[in-house]
Amino acid sequence: MNATDNHPEKSTCNCKVGRVIDEYELATLNDELVTYWTEEGEQRYSLRELAAYVNRTVLRAAMDNAGVAYKDGEVENTYRLLTDDDVSSGMRTETRRDLEHDSVPVDQVERHFVSHQTVHNHLTDCLDTSMVKPDDEQRAENARDKIRALQNRTVAVTDDTINRLNRGDVLDVGDFDVLVDVSIICSDCGNQYTVTNLLDRGGCECGDK
Ligand SMILES: [Zn+2]
Ligand SMILES: [Zn+2]
């Protein structure tokens, strides 16, 4: 018998992630890992999230192989029950028993779970991927957005709070505006900037020389 039979989607590496890909025939997993790891901004997965993603994919494949029918979100929840520190041991035992009852080889599946370090090695060594860092300008823009959102939220909460006190006669004030300014003071020279100014000029004046 030809050794390559039945393995049309042979993975290219022999690390644990590669072996799991072969075992469960997860043909698209490598592409997904690279995409999620190199995605820009908030969409990007951390290595821990990627490891959990691999493990949930493994669990889903094992449940598929056993012919288990599951509802939307059930695989995610089962994975959480198997791995989360907050789950009681009784609850975990029950989850494992349910899976065994459905002919899912739980022990084997758990042995196939990978760590974030394993995923990191697979991405960098086997797939030769490096994380694409947003350029400096993009990072400054992201920071600005984040702080602006925080300021807007502070304005909204303050406005709401003052209004409520005003209506409840705890406070007496006419029409009002809320101003939120976030300032940064350089402790080297004492200069003060608004966040926007500091980001625009790229640093404190005292560092210009
Ligand atoms: Zn690998
Ligand atoms: Zn300074």
Side-chain angles (χ1 to χ4, degrees):
M1 167 183 160
N2 190 327
T4 59
D5 277 353
N6 303 324
H7 283 286
E9 299 288 351
K10 204 81 181 129
S11 170
T12 48
C13 69
N14 197 33
C15 82
K16 187 173 179 185
V17 178
R19 292 198 304 274
V20 162
I21 286 174
D22 288 341
E23 174 87 27
Y24 296 93
E25 296 178 12
L26 309 173
T28 57
L29 190 63
N30 275 338
D31 285 343
E32 289 161 359
L33 289 178
V34 172
T35 304
Y36 293 147
W37 200 41
T38 56
E39 201 102 56
E40 299 223 337
E42 306 289 319
Q43 295 301 314
R44 204 175 68 76
Y45 279 39
S46 69
L47 287 167
R48 262 167 229 285
E49 287 167 332
L50 287 175
Y53 181 79
V54 170
N55 297 341
R56 284 195 303 266
T57 305
V58 164
L59 179 61
R60 182 177 294 113
M63 288 166 80
D64 285 339
N65 289 346
V68 181
Y70 45 81
K71 299 189 201 75
D72 212 25
E74 200 174 322
V75 175
E76 287 75 9
N77 192 46
T78 304
Y79 178 69
R80 189 183 63 80
L81 292 171
L82 287 176
T83 57
D84 202 296
D85 288 341
D86 294 337
V87 175
S88 72
S89 61
M91 196 65 207
R92 183 160 304 158
T93 306
E94 197 182 316
T95 305
R96 302 181 93 258
R97 205 182 295 138
D98 286 348
L99 286 168
E100 275 161 13
H101 179 80
D102 285 335
S103 307
V104 178
V106 187
D107 291 332
Q108 186 189 319
V109 169
E110 284 181 332
R111 273 200 304 278
H112 287 150
F113 283 171
V114 298
S115 68
H116 67 281
Q117 187 59 51
T118 304
V119 173
H120 181 257
N121 293 345
H122 176 66
L123 280 164
T124 52
D125 298 344
C126 309
L127 301 182
D128 206 15
T129 317
S130 56
M131 200 176 64
V132 180
K133 289 223 173 72
D135 59 26
D136 291 353
E137 203 176 317
Q138 187 59 48
R139 290 169 75 175
E141 197 49 51
N142 291 348
R144 218 183 294 249
D145 286 349
K146 194 178 244 175
I147 292 160
R148 197 178 295 135
L150 192 66
Q151 277 177 267
N152 289 342
R153 190 170 147 64
T154 307
V155 169
V157 172
T158 308
D159 190 78
D160 186 59
T161 307
I162 298 297
N163 262 321
R164 208 171 309 158
L165 293 175
N166 204 12
R167 276 199 309 273
D169 289 331
V170 178
L171 193 77
D172 198 11
V173 63
D175 284 346
F176 64 91
D177 284 319
V178 181
L179 296 179
V180 175
D181 262 323
V182 179
S183 300
I184 290 155
I185 300 170
C186 174
S187 50
D188 285 349
C189 68
N191 264 327
Q192 183 172 333
Y193 303 89
T194 65
V195 176
T196 312
N197 279 343
L198 188 65
L199 283 167
D200 282 346
R201 70 186 313 287
C204 181
E205 202 175 59
C206 70
D208 288 348
K209 305 174 223 102

